[in-house]
C-alpha cells in the first residue's frame, strides 16, 4: 500500500504496508457463534459511540454510522451492522468499504478500559490475517474478542463477521490498534486545500431569503457544485455552456458509486 503527496509532483512514494493473498482452505459452513444466543449473555450498550469518536477527532457522517446495536461483556462484544445503501453497488465490492469499516467500530466497545493520553486516540494500524469466506451483504453481525494491550504498546482484537445464523463471511485475526495524535487525524481528514474550485461566499439564511428565487437557486447550485468538486477532488471550475448542462450530467457518468454518493451526502449535511 503506497501513497504520495498530490501537491508535490516529484514526491516519492511512501510504503505503508504489504500483504500476501492466497486461496482460503477454511470451510464457510462452520458456525462459530450464533448472535441470537450470544447477545443474551452480553449487556446492551447505549449507542453514543459515534459521539465519542467525534470527540476523539474521528467524525462519521450519517451514511457511515453503520453500527446500529452493540452488546458487550468483559472481553466479548457483538454488534449489528446495517448499511442498506451498500446494496446499490450490486457486486461491485466483495467487501464493501462502508460495511467493513462499520465492523471495525465494534472495537470501540472496549475503549473505556483503555488508558489513552489526553491528545491521542486509538485507530487500527495493522491486520495480521484476513480470511474472506463470502461476499459481505449490507446487514451483518460482528463478534469481537478483545486481547488488551500487547508488549509493543499496541492493542489487539479479533473480529468475526457473520450472518444472523452464525455463518462466517469474514474472519479478521489480529487487528492492531495504536495511539495516534488527534490533531494529525484532524489535519488528514480536513477538506482538500487544493484551490481548484472557485470560493462560494458565506451567506446567512436571512440574506438568502432576501434574494429572488433564481438568485437563491443559483447560489445554492454553485455551493453544491463546489462541495461535489471538493469531495471528488476534481476541477469543477471549468466552463459549461450553461448550468443546465452541468445539472443534467448523470452521477454515473462521473464515476460516482454509492460509496462516493454517501460521502457527498455527508459533506452536504
Amino acid at each position: 500500500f503506497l501513497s504520495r503527496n498530490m501537491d508535490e509532483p516529484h514526491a516519492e512514494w511512501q510504503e505503508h504496508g504489504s500483504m500476501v493473498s492466497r486461496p482460503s482452505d477454511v470451510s464457510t459452513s462452520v458456525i462459530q457463534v450464533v448472535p441470537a444466543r450470544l447477545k443474551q449473555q452480553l449487556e446492551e450498550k447505549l449507542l453514543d459511540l459515534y459521539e465519542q469518536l467525534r470527540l476523539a477527532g474521528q467524525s462519521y457522517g450519517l451514511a457511515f454510522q453503520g453500527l446500529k446495536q452493540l452488546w458487550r461483556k468483559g472481553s466479548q462484544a457483538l454488534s449489528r451492522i446495517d448499511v442498506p445503501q451498500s446494496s446499490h453497488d450490486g457486486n461491485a465490492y466483495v467487501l464493501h468499504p462502508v460495511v467493513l469499516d462499520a465492523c471495525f467500530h465494534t472495537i470501540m466497545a472496549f475503549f473505556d478500559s483503555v488508558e489513552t493520553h489526553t491528545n491521542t486516540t486509538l485507530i487500527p494500524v495493522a491486520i495480521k490475517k484476513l480470511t474472506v469466506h463470502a461476499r459481505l451483504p449490507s446487514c451483518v453481525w460482528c463478534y469481537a474478542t478483545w486481547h488488551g494491550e500487547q508488549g509493543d504498546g499496541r492493542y489487539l482484537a479479533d473480529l468475526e463477521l457473520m450472518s444472523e445464523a452464525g455463518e462466517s463471511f469474514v474472519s479478521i485475526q489480529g487487528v492492531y490498534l495504536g495511539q495516534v495524535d488527534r490533531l494529525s487525524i484532524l489535519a488528514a481528514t480536513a477538506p482538500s486545500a487544493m484551490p481548484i474550485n472557485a470560493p462560494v461566499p458565506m451567506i446567512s439564511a436571512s440574506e438568502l431569503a432576501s434574494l429572488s428565487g433564481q438568485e437563491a437557486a443559483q447560489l445554492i447550485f454553485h455551493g453544491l457544485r463546489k462541495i461535489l468538486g471538493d469531495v471528488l477532488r476534481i476541477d469543477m471550475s471549468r466552463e459549461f455552456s450553461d448550468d443546465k448542462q452541468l445539472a443534467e450530467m448523470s452521477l454515473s457518468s462521473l464515476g460516482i458509486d454509492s460509496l462516493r454518493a454517501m460521502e457527498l451526502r455527508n459533506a452536504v449535511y
Side-chain angles (χ1 to χ4, degrees):
F1 300 99
L2 306 171
S3 73
R4 68 175 178 178
N5 191 337
M6 294 178 60
D7 295 328
E8 300 177 13
H10 303 293
E12 295 290 330
W13 287 95
Q14 180 181 358
E15 181 177 349
H16 300 281
S18 60
M19 63 175 288
V20 176
S21 175
R22 64 179 178 82
S24 171
D25 55 2
V26 180
S27 171
T28 62
S29 61
V30 176
I31 296 179
Q32 303 280 351
V33 175
V34 178
R37 283 190 230 137
L38 179 62
K39 68 182 183 181
Q40 294 176 2
Q41 305 168 22
L42 307 178
E43 300 173 0
E44 189 165 8
K45 292 179 68 70
L46 295 176
L47 276 182
D48 59 350
L49 296 185
Y50 289 107
E51 176 61 17
Q52 293 179 33
L53 281 169
R54 187 188 68 78
L55 294 174
Q58 304 177 55
S59 295
Y60 289 85
L62 292 176
F64 289 84
Q65 296 181 17
L67 193 153
K68 304 303 182 184
Q69 287 181 285
L70 180 66
W71 295 263
R72 181 217 161 172
K73 187 174 183 180
S75 60
Q76 298 180 90
L78 178 72
S79 66
R80 182 177 67 85
I81 308 298
D82 191 9
V83 184
Q85 300 95 326
S86 66
S87 61
H88 299 164
D89 288 326
N91 295 327
Y93 299 99
V94 174
L95 305 179
H96 196 283
V98 181
V99 179
L100 184 62
D101 183 58
C103 292
F104 283 101
H105 300 170
T106 309
I107 302 175
M108 272 285 292
F110 306 108
F111 281 14
D112 58 4
S113 62
V114 175
E115 252 187 65
T116 59
H117 300 295
T118 306
N119 296 318
T120 63
T121 186
L122 285 176
I123 64 170
V125 294
I127 294 175
K128 183 177 181 181
K129 182 180 180 181
L130 185 150
T131 305
V132 179
H133 306 296
R135 187 184 304 274
L136 274 183
S138 59
C139 185
V140 301
W141 292 79
C142 179
Y143 173 63
T145 304
W146 182 247
H147 301 292
E149 188 173 7
Q150 305 301 292
D152 58 2
R154 297 185 297 179
Y155 294 82
L156 181 63
D158 295 327
L159 300 178
E160 191 74 31
L161 284 50
M162 67 192 79
S163 68
E164 190 170 8
E167 183 178 4
S168 178
F169 297 123
V170 180
S171 302
I172 308 177
Q173 295 174 298
V175 180
Y176 289 91
L177 299 101
Q179 297 196 34
V180 178
D181 183 77
R182 296 183 184 185
L183 292 178
S184 64
I185 295 178
L186 290 173
T189 57
S192 172
M194 296 171 62
I196 61 173
N197 296 309
V200 176
M202 297 297 293
I203 185 170
S204 67
S206 59
E207 291 173 316
L208 185 63
S210 67
L211 298 175
S212 69
Q214 184 176 0
E215 291 174 327
Q218 187 176 33
L219 186 63
I220 293 172
F221 176 81
H222 284 288
L224 292 175
R225 177 178 172 176
K226 180 184 183 301
I227 292 173
L228 176 62
D230 288 344
V231 171
L232 300 179
R233 304 293 189 265
I234 59 176
D235 185 1
M236 297 297 287
S237 62
R238 55 188 173 144
E239 292 298 324
F240 292 84
S241 60
D242 53 43
D243 288 342
K244 183 180 179 183
Q245 180 184 349
L246 177 61
E248 289 177 348
M249 290 179 62
S250 67
L251 292 180
S252 59
S253 70
L254 292 174
I256 305 177
D257 57 12
S258 72
L259 178 61
R260 286 280 182 88
M262 284 188 282
E263 185 178 354
L264 178 61
R265 191 181 77 178
N266 285 337
V268 172
Y269 287 156

